[in-house]
Amino acid sequence: QVQLVESGGGLVQAGGSLRLSCATSGGTFSSYSMGWFRQAPGKEREFVAAITWSGGSTGYADSVKGRFTISRDNAKNTVYLQMVSLKPEDTAVYYCAAKWGSVSGSYNQYNYWGQGTQVTVSS
């Protein structure tokens, strides 16, 4: 059973930074493509960023390009999301997810999910 645990969320002022972490266990981390998604109140879950199993390729939602960076450390079984220049509209619960095969921006293609971590950006 693969488990994902996010951490690093919190309250930050607009323009600030946060780094989210997602630690995995129970599976072969280096076999999975990893993604970050977010869900704001009253909205659907949306894609944020994804990274291939090797870390050699990444993808981002247009809304976060240039501000967020996804990375992974396969030795630590952990994926990260560095967020800078945060905006109030980035406020959401952030989830990490894992899937076999290639990266995807579709949440229904991911096999495993964490419980989420709250990010709140004040104006």
Side-chain angles (χ1 to χ4, degrees), residues 24-104:
T24 70
S25 61
T28 306
F29 178 73
S30 59
S31 300
Y32 301 116
S33 293
M34 300 296 296
W36 285 97
F37 292 78
R38 66 186 182 186
Q39 188 166 18
K43 295 187 177 181
E44 292 188 354
R45 191 167 298 190
E46 66 173 359
F47 169 73
V48 175
I51 188 167
T52 54
W53 67 271
S54 67
S57 182
T58 58
Y60 298 91
D62 288 343
S63 59
V64 306
K65 276 182 183 176
R67 300 188 299 121
F68 290 11
T69 303
I70 188 171
S71 61
R72 65 189 296 162
D73 185 337
N74 285 349
K76 295 183 178 180
N77 294 343
T78 301
V79 63
Y80 305 97
L81 186 68
Q82 178 69 51
M83 307 185 293
V84 302
S85 301
L86 282 161
K87 305 174 181 180
E89 51 264 43
D90 294 318
T91 295
V93 177
Y94 283 70
Y95 299 90
C96 72
K99 68 179 296 291
W100 296 101
S102 59
V103 294
S104 172

